[in-house]
Amino acid sequence: MATLLVALTILCLVMAGIEADQKVTVSLLDSAIAKGAVCLDGTPPAYAYSPGFGDGIDNWHVILQGGGWCWDVTECLNRSKNDLGSSAKLISKVNGSVTFGGMLEANSTLNPDFYNWNVFKIFYCDGSSFMSDVEDVDPKYNLTYRGARIYDAMMDELLRIGMGNAKNALLSGGSAGGLATTLHCDKFQSLFHITTRVKCVSDSGFFIHGEHFLGADWRESFFYRVVSTHGLTNMLPTSCTSKFSPTLCLFPENLVPDIQTPLFLIESAFDAYQIGVTLFPNRSPKWTSCIHNLMSCNWTEIEIMKGFRFILINTLKSAIANSSSRRGYFVHSCYRHGHMEEISGSTCSLIVGNGLANKCIFQNIAEAVGDWYFDRSEFQEMDMVNNLPRNCTGDDLPILKKKCIDYYIHH
Ligand SMILES: *[C@@H]1O[C@H](CO)[C@@H](O)[C@H](O)[C@H]1NC(C)=O
Ligand SMILES: *[C@@H]1O[C@H](CO)[C@@H](O)[C@H](O)[C@H]1NC(C)=O
Ligand SMILES: *[C@@H]1O[C@H](CO)[C@@H](O)[C@H](O)[C@H]1NC(C)=O
Ligand SMILES: *[C@@H]1O[C@H](CO)[C@@H](O)[C@H](O)[C@H]1NC(C)=O
Ligand SMILES: *[C@@H]1O[C@H](CO)[C@@H](O)[C@H](O)[C@H]1NC(C)=O
Ligand SMILES: *[C@@H]1O[C@H](CO)[C@@H](O)[C@H](O)[C@H]1NC(C)=O
Ligand SMILES: *[C@@H]1O[C@H](CO)[C@@H](O)[C@H](O)[C@H]1NC(C)=O
């Protein structure tokens, strides 16, 4: 299991680009203590808030931080001793402030649609995608499982500071925070007046079951253990648990169809977390080297990644097709995990073909989400041209452009 953490850490390091800076103070929500809404280690939950300005003053972007899950007491105990389980550890780790990048950044050039919004980031310290609510403190290890209470206490605080009057509101999150967004989206929507535009964006939060694909047993037993460790059986949406087991109700494919609020999914068809961690939980050195350097993958390994893409795309399409309300999505082929909080991710692009005109049009994630959020278009696009993982830290756009043109000339 330790190897998984190492893999995650490496992924995080690879993704943490060097971006333009905007420091925002990390604050503790002390009022949460009386509600028992505390982190695994008992410290109050933390947030970072950057007020809106100009005509963004009544617009609110709320972000649920991600960072995996703990799936047994040992892992949760471990987590309670670091920044993903303890606000005290978080504050000392980041030295009191964090940077808002990508679609959180107050820069109108880089982030034209959301730059002047109120931005409120909720830190993750419960290990359950903000879903747990166990009354008793674990007697042996002194751990508290209260993620859902943290979510509620943060919503109370947001309403107290004015979010109830929002014209526009957006709930988003990446990875485990993307799953949390999917799980909380309708509850978030219910906080507002009928006239408020409320939408949700799940960024790299579409963790597939892939029931007949490599690692399926592991993925299932992993979520089974998350559910039992955090007591989630009765916390998950009944619209799902009336049809599926609680374990299956952590897989977004079984949640997305029932969500009533407009929801946008940002996903890499070659999601680096799902490919890197969930296909071969006990992976060989060969596969380890492949997932860290695509150039070192052999064709067998590339075929496995292509197989994963095929299943992810089909699972996502069927979840969308079964949804009662409209969905937006942006599925690209860059090998990565997480997009909205970094320029390297929010500018990650897709070439959208216009078959009739044999034209290839660039679109990046920030533009696509903005267009969809403000109803300028209902964005539903996948990269169907590339069935190989792209390393988008290098500049392969010219190659992609050429492929796109060839594709639309020949189809
Ligand atoms: C506990 O977390 C540390 C990093 O904070 C990690 O190095 C270690 O492997 C973890 N232990 C277990 C049992 O996962
Ligand atoms: C348990 O955690 C609480 C904080 O939630 C702390 O005040 C208390 O001292 C801890 N108890 C033990 C036995 O470690
Ligand atoms: C932490 O932040 C304080 C100011 O808030 C600064 O004086 C100090 O140098 C910082 N420490 C480190 C290690 O960055
Ligand atoms: C916004 O970002 C652009 C591109 O990185 C940069 O040139 C500009 O200085 C930034 N503006 C502000 C106000 O930071
Ligand atoms: C390709 O990689 C897989 C493991 O990831 C390995 O089992 C297989 O032997 C490799 N094939 C060749 C030809 O090196
Ligand atoms: C992507 O390319 C960069 C720069 O060449 C390299 O450092 C990085 O390891 C590559 N990533 C993968 C997953 O291949
Ligand atoms: C979508 O509906 C079809 C039949 O209408 C069903 O076979 C499929 O399992 C459903 N997919 C999901 C993700 O619910």
Side-chain angles (χ1 to χ4, degrees):
M1 289 305 170
T3 53
L4 288 181
L5 279 175
V6 173
L8 278 174
T9 310
I10 292 169
L11 277 178
C12 292
L13 292 176
V14 168
M15 292 178 329
I18 301 148
E19 326 269 14
D21 279 7
Q22 184 199 349
K23 289 277 179 195
V24 185
T25 304
V26 176
S27 308
L28 294 177
L29 185 65
D30 290 318
S31 65
I33 297 177
K35 300 170 185 163
V38 294
C39 300
L40 284 166
D41 73 332
T43 52
Y47 64 90
Y49 173 46
S50 164
F53 55 93
D55 63 6
I57 203 152
D58 294 321
N59 299 340
W60 292 76
H61 184 184
V62 177
I63 300 102
L64 300 172
Q65 189 198 10
W69 306 269
C70 55
W71 59 92
D72 64 23
V73 172
T74 315
E75 289 298 334
C76 291
L77 182 63
N78 202 22
R79 204 168 254 257
S80 74
K81 298 183 174 126
N82 67 48
D83 57 301
L84 287 172
S86 164
S87 295
K89 292 285 164 24
L90 168 74
I91 287 180
S92 62
K93 182 180 170 184
V94 303
N95 194 22
S97 67
V98 290
T99 299
F100 280 175
M103 294 178 66
L104 278 52
E105 195 168 328
N107 181 320
S108 60
T109 315
L110 299 171
N111 184 25
D113 285 311
F114 304 99
Y115 74 97
N116 58 4
W117 286 37
N118 293 278
V119 180
F120 192 100
K121 177 167 174 167
I122 302 172
F123 291 96
Y124 184 37
C125 64
D126 59 273
S128 73
S129 279
F130 296 90
M131 289 305 284
S132 55
D133 191 355
V134 180
E135 182 60 37
D136 296 335
V137 175
D138 177 290
K140 189 157 171 216
Y141 299 100
N142 202 18
L143 294 173
T144 41
Y145 297 94
R146 303 275 175 77
R149 271 198 230 185
I150 292 175
Y151 173 86
D152 290 340
M154 288 290 177
M155 294 302 131
D156 290 346
E157 176 65 8
L158 279 158
L159 294 175
R160 193 186 69 77
I161 64 174
M163 186 176 73
N165 299 319
K167 287 201 186 88
N168 295 296
L170 172 64
L171 180 69
S172 80
S175 193
L179 174 59
T181 299
T182 302
L183 286 160
H184 287 287
C185 182
D186 283 340
K187 265 205 318 190
F188 181 71
Q189 199 267 345
S190 71
L191 297 173
F192 298 92
H193 300 297
I194 190 100
T195 53
T196 309
R197 182 192 271 122
V198 187
K199 300 192 179 188
C200 304
V201 177
S202 170
D203 176 6
S204 300
F206 198 77
F207 300 97
I208 61 168
H209 181 198
E211 126 175 72
H212 303 297
F213 199 63
L214 293 163
D217 289 351
W218 184 83
R219 286 188 291 281
E220 242 175 80
S221 78
F222 183 84
F223 273 171
Y224 176 84
R225 293 204 279 165
V226 171
V227 168
S228 50
T229 302
H230 295 274
L232 302 188
T233 298
N234 297 317
M235 299 302 294
L236 293 160
T238 51
S239 55
C240 183
T241 51
S242 62
K243 291 178 282 193
F244 301 102
S245 69
T247 298
L248 293 184
C249 290
L250 277 182
F251 290 105
E253 64 215 59
N254 299 325
L255 297 163
V256 164
D258 292 315
I259 295 168
Q260 303 301 312
T261 309
L263 173 70
F264 192 97
L265 303 171
I266 302 171
E267 202 57 51
S268 165
F270 298 99
D271 179 57
Y273 169 81
Q274 295 189 66
I275 287 178
V277 175
T278 80
L279 302 188
F280 299 106
N282 300 307
R283 59 173 177 270
S284 64
K286 177 71 190 78
W287 180 249
T288 303
S289 108
C290 162
I291 61 173
H292 292 131
N293 176 10
L294 295 170
M295 299 293 277
S296 77
C297 302
N298 68 30
W299 279 105
T300 312
E301 291 164 331
I302 294 293
E303 283 303 322
I304 289 168
M305 293 191 188
K306 286 168 72 174
F308 174 82
R309 169 184 179 270
F310 181 79
I311 292 169
L312 183 133
I313 285 181
N314 286 323
T315 306
L316 194 139
K317 276 186 180 163
S318 109
I320 300 284
N322 290 4
S323 298
S324 53
S325 70
R326 298 295 299 177
R327 305 280 176 245
Y329 55 84
F330 184 114
V331 181
H332 62 85
S333 54
C334 299
Y335 181 80
R336 72 174 283 142
H337 182 68
H339 308 85
M340 291 177 79
E341 297 192 41
E342 290 163 315
I343 288 298
S344 62
S346 64
T347 57
C348 189
S349 57
L350 188 70
I351 293 185
V352 181
N354 175 345
L356 291 175
N358 282 344
K359 253 190 168 165
C360 296
I361 303 157
F362 279 97
Q363 189 99 42
N364 73 38
I365 288 173
E367 292 160 357
V369 173
D371 285 353
W372 167 82
Y373 186 85
F374 288 107
D375 301 307
R376 296 191 293 255
S377 84
E378 44 177 56
F379 198 90
Q380 294 192 316
E381 298 291 348
M382 285 184 183
D383 181 355
M384 300 311 289
V385 175
N386 282 279
N387 64 355
L388 294 176
R390 295 163 55 204
N391 179 347
C392 297
T393 57
D395 183 15
D396 62 354
L397 274 176
I399 303 168
L400 183 60
K401 225 174 178 174
K402 184 177 176 321
K403 270 194 181 171
C404 185
I405 290 164
D406 291 349
Y407 183 87
Y408 283 101
I409 287 175
H410 297 117
H411 282 71

